[in-house]
Amino acid sequence: KDQVFQPSTVASSEGAVVEIFCNHSVSNAYNFFWYLHFPGCAPRLLVKGSKPSQQGRYNMTYERFSSSLLILQVREADAAVYYCAPCPLAGLTFGKGTHLIIQP
Amino acid sequence: DTAVSQTPKYLVTQMGNDKSIKCEQNLGHDTMYWYKQDSKKFLKIMFSYNNKELIINETVPNRFSPKSPDKAHLNLHINSLELGDSAVYFCASSPFNTGELFFGEGSRLTVL
């Protein structure tokens, strides 16, 4: 069964660059999505692409079976859960999310 | 102006009851979904409808029945609720086959 793997927790200090890895086993994925979720709110799309992409402070790397989300100049407000989703799995099954913890 | 809205946001009920969660989107999207986020935070797809037709039906107990009266609405009805049904249920919509999902804020169901 196609699966998506990402670490459950990543910790970073304010101002640093943090990287969240995601691997998957979807053989026909042609696109990748990263979603941001603040508990109690609607998850929302952060960045997407089939090649390295950037959206403001968010950079995304892309390989056939993996992607990384890089967040530049991490802030306390970035503490949230980040979900990766390869497409066509996007719309089907996400990774279980990475909880980003910001350390003082 | 909420793009994807679901009600209720919180629902507490007893085992054995039947309950419904409603979802509406005003984005003009063709496809709508129901996801379940369990205690381990997995976001698992349950159902997907495209233009009122069921296109994805993952392994979900048949106590769960989605209904799409039109392409802007996808409701989830749950019969004979069990403790394990406690979770946050997210509705989402997307333009057909793009993979880009627009989520509602979730409905937290607690079964006692």
Side-chain angles (χ1 to χ4, degrees):
Chain A
K1 185 176 179 179
D2 292 332
Q3 289 187 309
V4 182
F5 308 93
Q6 53 182 126
S8 58
T9 305
V10 168
S12 177
S13 302
E14 280 193 89
V17 175
V18 65
E19 186 169 16
I20 301 174
F21 295 96
C22 179
N23 300 309
H24 68 88
S25 59
V26 181
S27 59
N28 55 350
Y30 60 87
N31 210 345
F32 218 96
F33 296 80
W34 283 92
Y35 283 82
L36 166 65
H37 185 215
F38 292 103
C41 298
R44 65 177 177 88
L45 182 65
L46 203 54
V47 64
K48 65 177 181 179
S50 56
K51 57 183 180 180
S53 304
Q54 181 175 2
Q55 187 75 25
R57 293 187 298 116
Y58 306 101
N59 285 344
M60 186 190 97
T61 68
Y62 178 84
E63 302 287 341
R64 186 177 176 195
F65 291 106
S66 66
S67 175
S68 289
L69 175 69
L70 290 95
I71 308 174
L72 310 180
Q73 297 177 316
V74 164
R75 308 164 182 166
E76 191 175 344
D78 293 327
V81 180
Y82 294 80
Y83 287 94
C84 64
C87 188
L89 271 191
L92 295 179
T93 305
F94 288 70
K96 64 178 180 180
T98 297
H99 188 193
L100 175 61
I101 298 172
I102 308 301
Q103 297 167 333
Chain B
D1 280 32
T2 304
V4 181
S5 59
Q6 46 185 116
T7 56
K9 190 162 184 176
Y10 300 97
L11 185 54
V12 180
T13 188
Q14 300 286 333
M15 276 175 53
N17 284 349
D18 303 337
K19 291 294 178 185
S20 293
I21 307 172
K22 295 184 177 181
C23 180
E24 176 181 3
Q25 55 98 1
N26 62 7
L27 298 167
H29 290 162
D30 295 317
T31 309
M32 295 186 71
Y33 309 80
W34 276 109
Y35 281 81
K36 180 180 180 180
Q37 184 185 45
D38 59 23
S39 58
K40 295 183 180 179
K41 304 304 182 186
F42 280 101
L43 262 177
K44 294 182 180 178
I45 190 164
M46 302 173 69
F47 302 102
S48 172
Y49 270 72
N50 184 62
N51 277 323
K52 302 193 298 176
E53 290 191 15
L54 181 67
I55 57 172
I56 295 174
N57 183 356
E58 292 294 309
T59 306
V60 176
N62 57 15
R63 297 181 295 105
F64 289 77
S65 54
K67 284 188 173 51
S68 181
D70 55 61
K71 77 171 194 176
H73 295 84
L74 181 61
N75 303 323
L76 182 65
H77 189 75
I78 316 170
N79 290 327
S80 303
L81 279 158
E82 300 176 357
L83 292 176
D85 297 333
S86 296
V88 181
Y89 292 85
F90 286 96
C91 177
S93 70
S94 73
F96 181 63
N97 218 24
T98 65
E100 183 170 346
L101 302 178
F102 294 77
F103 283 91
E105 293 185 339
S107 296
R108 181 176 291 278
L109 172 64
T110 302
V111 182
L112 304 175

